[in-house]
Structure formats: structure tokens, C-alpha cells
Amino acid sequence: MAAPKSNGATGPKSQAPARKKTVTRKAAMAPIFEGAEWDFTKVDNCFQAIEKIALEEMRLDVYPTQIEVITSEQMLDAYSSVGMPMMYNHWSFGKSFLRDETSYRKGFSGLAYEIVINSNPCICYIMEENSMTMQTLVMAHAAFGHNHFFKNNHLFQQWTDANAILEYLQFAKNYIAKCEERHGKKEVEKILDSAHALRDQGIDKFTRRQKLDIAAQRQRQIDREEYERSQYSELWRTLPETTKKNNEEIDAIERDLAQKLGLPESNLLYFLEKHSPILDSWQREILRIVRSLAQYFYPQRQTKLMNEGCACFVHYHIMNRLYDTGQITEGAMLEFIDFHTRVVAQPDFDTPYYNGINPYALGFAMMKDIERICENPTDEDREWFPDFAGNNKAIETLKEAWRNFRDESFILQYLSPHLIREFRLFNLHDDMTQSHFLVNAIHNEQGYRAVRSALAAQYSVANTDLDIQVAKVDLHGNRSMVLSHSMSHEIPLNEKQARMVVRHIHRLWGYDVSLNSIDPSGKVIKTYAEEKQS
């Protein structure tokens, strides 16, 4: 699909965040480790030292933590299954594994040093190839930074269930394995292919999640199957009607059915799961599994910048405290600074390395900027942030932000003119009727608010997700389905991908499907259709 209009950015003037305070190192304790080699005793000792700073000094609120050391191959396996343990089988995960493994073995790309699961207990995978300094860093980053964010951010509290996700993954894996035995791998993969294609349109954005109670889900599945066997659906009657109805009667019937079906409906997977005339119960259950997992990842899509910024701030604070108290050596501190600086670097927009705004760079810079405003505000900060400038409660102010905001609202609330200047942000306007781009706001008094609003809009899922809804289902005639796509910023659908997606919807619906791309005036710009084969 076409990309939305975006901002341009250059890197901050100083890529390595400088420490503002002069700290006198107190070598009150012996270093926990020396050198790069690690063992489980050192890892355990480091974890306890990190935990003491995180819980007693920073007063973070985290789930119990489970640290697991894995090999690079296991990390690649976790990569391929979207970072989840016990994921069900699908050919696309194997394809991702081969692609990532080849790229890693040939040196074209590296691997993450950790993966963390939003679960209770919070599972953190760390690589056995890491040095001891790196193990210390990733435990501070994931086991306490991400962990605190998962447990406390309101989106994760509303939309995910950390207590049940591991049990649900086991249920999903076992259920799909049984379906493969009973119906064949090809049939199961067909349903999964189509469900995965619609995964981003399988999210309920307007109601809170339900608990992933596995026993209750199994009972509901039995009840549904029993209900389907006992019911005759008037909606899908096949007998011809004995009397013809006029247009007004047909319109009244269509309105009544549309109301019963909840049209228009933006959750395509939910609609197909509930109302498809051709799916069996096991196929509907697979759609439900894909939909539930897509819902689990929905908060992560909305908080990427904040989540990484929180984790980077926590690991930076903890590593500096370990150094200040003599628990890590100068050599370990230099290794940490080298790695940290590379992680939070923001390449300039005109370099080959530029790939948009680095969420680690902007997220960490915003957290440190909030700390600066709390402790050493300028007159400009007091004017823009009167509620917390100079309150000397940096950690508490950050915790409130981590708890109550997502990326879009966080940028609107906390991005300061100081940081806009540091990153030299500007707004690039792309008008398709013009042959050139227009820089309509820069990092100055006239441009601060425009740049901040434009950057926040770039992180809004309302602007990045396609607005596709089930608009009409002709239940009275040929059972065709009509979908509508509301164009945003005059950006059309990618024709090849649109036709492929319509084909997947057709597979799950079983009858004619058409997708109308509509401009803001209501005019149909393009129609993509897939007809039922006779």
C-alpha cells in the first residue's frame, strides 16, 4: 500500500547523549564482573544489583521476570514467529527464518540482543553470544524497562491479558495442529494465508478486550457447534421465495439485515468469522485465533516510540548507577556507551543510512528532555510546560507519561522546542498536483507547533491503517459483499496488493466481493472485484 505523507528529519547535533551532571564515582563496592565472559552466577548477581536499583531507587512496578538464555538459532526462530514462543506452524514463519538466517550468516544484518514477551511472568530471552556487559544492559532494558511499560501503560492494561497469553498460545498451537491432522495442511494453510492477509483489518478498535479464558473459549466453541447444528439460518436460505417483493420492501429488508449484521463493520475478520456462509466451525476458530493475536499486538503498534524510549531511559539510568557505585568497571562502561550510542543514533535525512526517524533515538531523547525540564528548566520550558517544569520529580513525571499516553499523544504533549531544534526537524508537504515538495515549517518560533502536530500525526494508527469497511451484503439476492475504502490524503491503494486481498476475502466469503476506493467527496475512484466461479 502507498505510504502516507511524512516528515523529514535530520539527526540531532550530538548523537551521543551527553551526561549533564558531573558525577564523582564512588567505588564503594567491588565490581560484579570483569572481562567479557559470563556465567549464570554472574548473570544472577547482576540481575539482583539491577533489580535493587530498579525497584528501590526508581520504584518501578514490574511483573515477575523469567530470564532465558538462548542461542542465535533460537533467536532467529523467535524472530520468524513474531517474537512469540509456542507459535503455531505456518509456512510464512519458515520463510522468514530462512531469510533472516541467510542475512545473518552472510553478515548483512545482526540480531536483536534480547526479546521480551508481554506476559506474567515477563519472559526475557537473552543471547548466549552476548558479552557480560551486554547481558547486564539487556536485562536492565527488557526485564525492567519494557516490563514496567507493559504492566502500567493503559493500552496494554485495556487490550492485552498478560496472565493468559502463554496459555492461549499453547491452545492455538495445539488447535491448529489438530486441524492439520483432521483436514490436511493445505486446507489449514489456505485459511491461515487469508486470515494473515487481513490481520491488520482484524482489530476491534472501539471495545476493550475480553479475558483470554481458555476453558470458557472451549465451552463457547462446543456451544457454537451445537447451536449451528440445531439452527436453520433464515439469512442463508436457498429455497426460492413464493412471492415477489417490490423495491421498497427489499430496501426495508436490507436495512433491517444491515442493522442486525452491524454494518458498516471495520473488523473484517470478525465479520467473516461470524457471518460467512461457507466456513466450517474449525475455520471460524482459526480466524478467531488470528484475530486475537492481532489484537494482542495492537498496543505495541501504538507505543513503539514510548516503549523503546522508556526501556532506553531505564537501562541508561541503571548502567550509570552501577558504574557510579563501583559495581561495573570502566571497561564495561565504555563498552556500554559504545553500544548505547549506536542504538540511539539518528542518521541525517540525506545519508544512505536514513530510514525514517529512529524510535530509540527520539524516544530516549524525549525521556531525557523531560528529565532536563523537571530538573533544569529554561524560561522557554516554563512557558511550554508549566505543569512540571522545575518540579524535581523526573521519575514520577516520566511514570505518569508512560502510564497515560501513546506515541501520538505523547509527542503532542511532551515534544519541546529545545528537542525540535536538537533534531532540526522540519515538515515536508507533498502535494500530488505539484512537481515539487514544499518545506512549510522548520524548527523556529513559527514552526514549532506545526512540526509537532505533523510529527504526532505520523504516529497515529488512524493515519497509517487503511480504512476498509464492509459496507453492504446483498443477502436478498446473490449474497455479494461490497467493501468501501476511504482514501486518506488522496493516496490510492496499491493495485496488485488490493486485488490479492480481495481474492483472500472472496475465499473466506465464497461469493462475489468488490472493493470500492472512495475519495472524500464520495466518488468511487477505483473498484477491485473478485467473482464467484461458476
Side-chain angles (χ1 to χ4, degrees):
M1 305 290 178
K5 296 173 183 176
S6 63
N7 285 17
T10 62
K13 291 175 182 175
S14 175
Q15 295 186 346
R19 300 180 66 203
K20 301 295 183 185
K21 297 179 181 176
T22 302
V23 177
T24 302
R25 189 176 181 226
K26 298 178 181 178
M29 304 180 185
I32 300 171
F33 64 89
E34 293 186 11
E37 298 300 322
W38 65 268
D39 56 40
F40 287 104
T41 301
K42 291 178 181 176
V43 169
D44 185 50
N45 290 338
C46 261
F47 182 85
Q48 292 181 34
I50 293 168
E51 185 178 43
K52 186 174 182 180
I53 296 170
L55 302 187
E56 295 182 8
E57 295 185 20
M58 303 181 75
R59 297 190 179 281
L60 299 181
D61 177 23
V62 296
Y63 293 121
T65 306
Q66 180 177 325
I67 303 289
E68 296 194 9
V69 183
I70 61 175
T71 65
S72 58
E73 188 163 333
Q74 289 172 314
M75 180 64 80
L76 282 163
D77 189 48
Y79 259 30
S80 64
S81 55
V82 292
M84 302 301 287
M86 301 181 292
M87 197 65 172
Y88 56 80
N89 294 325
H90 186 250
W91 65 267
S92 63
F93 301 147
K95 177 185 173 184
S96 298
F97 179 88
L98 289 175
R99 180 198 61 204
D100 294 338
E101 184 191 34
T102 302
S103 180
Y104 174 66
R105 302 295 178 205
K106 292 187 175 182
F108 296 145
S109 65
L111 293 178
Y113 297 100
E114 47 77 23
I115 284 182
V116 57
I117 309 298
N118 171 28
S119 58
N120 184 14
C122 181
I123 299 176
C124 299
Y125 296 107
I126 58 178
M127 291 228 317
E128 67 175 10
E129 287 88 346
N130 293 347
S131 67
M132 189 57 227
T133 300
M134 192 63 68
Q135 305 291 36
T136 308
L137 166 60
V138 297
M139 284 192 292
H141 181 93
F144 292 95
H146 284 309
N147 192 347
H148 175 87
F149 196 86
F150 288 148
K151 187 175 181 183
N152 293 276
N153 183 266
H154 75 103
L155 288 176
F156 286 89
Q157 290 179 345
Q158 290 178 15
W159 296 99
T160 67
D161 190 350
N163 294 314
I165 185 62
L166 296 178
E167 191 178 359
Y168 187 75
L169 285 170
Q170 187 65 58
F171 160 75
K173 185 181 178 72
N174 293 341
Y175 186 85
I176 288 180
K178 288 179 182 175
C179 288
E180 288 177 341
E181 291 176 4
R182 187 173 300 172
H183 306 285
K185 284 189 177 181
K186 285 189 177 179
E187 291 304 312
V188 173
E189 285 189 348
K190 282 181 183 177
I191 298 299
L192 281 174
D193 288 348
S194 297
H196 286 178
L198 301 173
R199 191 160 34 194
D200 289 343
Q201 273 70 47
I203 296 168
D204 192 345
K205 301 175 183 175
F206 306 109
T207 56
R208 296 182 180 183
R209 53 98 177 147
Q210 296 179 341
K211 294 280 185 183
L212 293 173
D213 187 331
I214 304 304
Q217 293 225 7
R218 284 177 179 145
Q219 184 57 49
R220 280 200 294 271
Q221 182 189 348
I222 295 170
D223 292 344
R224 278 195 296 270
E225 292 173 353
E226 180 62 28
Y227 178 79
E228 288 169 6
R229 282 194 293 270
S230 64
Q231 294 294 311
Y232 165 75
S233 177
E234 182 65 24
L235 297 181
W236 310 118
R237 63 163 36 243
T238 55
L239 295 175
E241 295 184 357
T242 55
T243 58
K244 290 188 177 180
K245 294 182 171 59
N246 60 37
N247 291 336
E248 289 184 357
E249 290 175 323
I250 292 173
D251 289 343
I253 292 171
E254 293 291 346
R255 284 196 300 273
D256 183 51
L257 286 174
Q259 188 175 10
K260 288 180 179 176
L261 295 175
L263 300 181
E265 174 60 63
S266 60
N267 191 333
L268 304 189
L269 276 183
Y270 173 83
F271 185 86
L272 291 163
E273 172 199 326
K274 297 297 181 186
H275 304 297
S276 171
I278 65 164
L279 294 182
D280 292 332
S281 59
W282 66 270
Q283 294 169 315
R284 296 181 199 276
E285 188 62 42
I286 289 177
L287 296 192
R288 191 174 298 112
I289 287 170
V290 175
R291 187 164 62 81
S292 297
L293 294 180
Q295 195 78 53
Y296 172 82
F297 286 106
Y298 186 52
Q300 298 195 30
R301 292 171 50 201
Q302 299 183 76
T303 56
K304 175 73 174 176
L305 180 142
M306 285 190 69
N307 201 345
E308 296 300 348
C310 169
C312 287
F313 179 88
V314 168
H315 83 228
Y316 186 80
H317 183 92
I318 289 174
M319 292 299 288
N320 276 277
R321 288 293 298 142
L322 289 174
Y323 175 70
D324 293 342
T325 54
Q327 296 182 77
I328 59 173
T329 64
E330 291 183 349
M333 191 63 185
L334 285 172
E335 183 183 352
F336 157 69
I337 291 172
D338 173 61
F339 173 75
H340 172 82
T341 304
R342 284 185 280 126
V343 167
V344 299
Q346 173 61 60
D348 289 344
F349 78 95
D350 54 354
T351 66
Y353 308 106
Y354 181 74
N355 187 27
I357 293 179
N358 178 0
Y360 294 84
L362 183 58
F364 176 70
M366 287 189 68
M367 303 308 168
K368 293 298 290 182
D369 197 45
I370 291 171
E371 183 184 46
R372 178 192 63 78
I373 294 170
C374 290
E375 296 176 352
N376 297 294
T378 63
D379 291 341
E380 181 185 59
D381 297 325
R382 293 185 187 281
E383 179 184 346
W384 280 68
F385 306 103
D387 292 342
F388 64 90
N391 67 3
N392 285 316
K393 297 179 180 177
I395 298 293
E396 293 307 313
T397 304
L398 284 166
K399 284 182 187 175
E400 182 180 349
W402 297 338
R403 182 166 54 245
N404 295 318
F405 290 84
R406 55 184 171 190
D407 288 349
E408 177 193 9
S409 55
F410 178 66
I411 291 171
L412 274 175
Q413 184 72 23
Y414 290 101
L415 184 62
S416 71
H418 168 80
L419 206 59
I420 294 174
R421 289 193 297 273
E422 284 287 305
F423 272 73
R424 288 174 283 174
L425 296 174
F426 57 87
N427 188 43
L428 193 66
H429 182 68
D430 179 10
D431 186 343
M432 64 184 296
T433 64
Q434 302 295 322
S435 60
H436 56 272
F437 296 109
L438 175 66
V439 178
N440 60 5
I442 63 171
H443 42 279
N444 60 11
E445 288 289 342
Q446 294 75 35
Y448 290 143
R449 295 187 189 281
V451 168
R452 187 165 73 169
S453 297
L455 184 63
Q458 194 169 306
Y459 287 86
S460 169
V461 291
N463 291 330
T464 55
D465 285 2
L466 294 175
D467 181 8
I468 298 178
Q469 300 183 9
V470 180
K472 182 181 178 183
V473 178
D474 185 5
L475 301 177
H476 197 75
N478 61 3
R479 302 179 184 178
S480 61
M481 174 191 286
V482 180
L483 303 159
S484 66
H485 163 239
S486 299
M487 294 177 65
S488 175
H489 301 293
E490 302 178 353
I491 300 173
L493 294 174
N494 179 297
E495 183 161 345
K496 181 180 178 182
Q497 291 188 17
R499 293 194 183 284
M500 290 176 66
V501 170
V502 169
R503 203 167 299 145
H504 283 296
I505 298 173
H506 175 263
R507 174 186 287 168
L508 298 175
W509 182 248
Y511 293 88
D512 296 353
V513 175
S514 60
L515 169 61
N516 295 325
S517 198
I518 301 170
D519 70 8
S521 69
K523 181 182 178 183
V524 176
I525 303 300
K526 181 84 175 178
T527 296
Y528 310 88
E530 188 75 17
E531 297 182 352
K532 183 176 184 294
Q533 300 296 318
S534 58

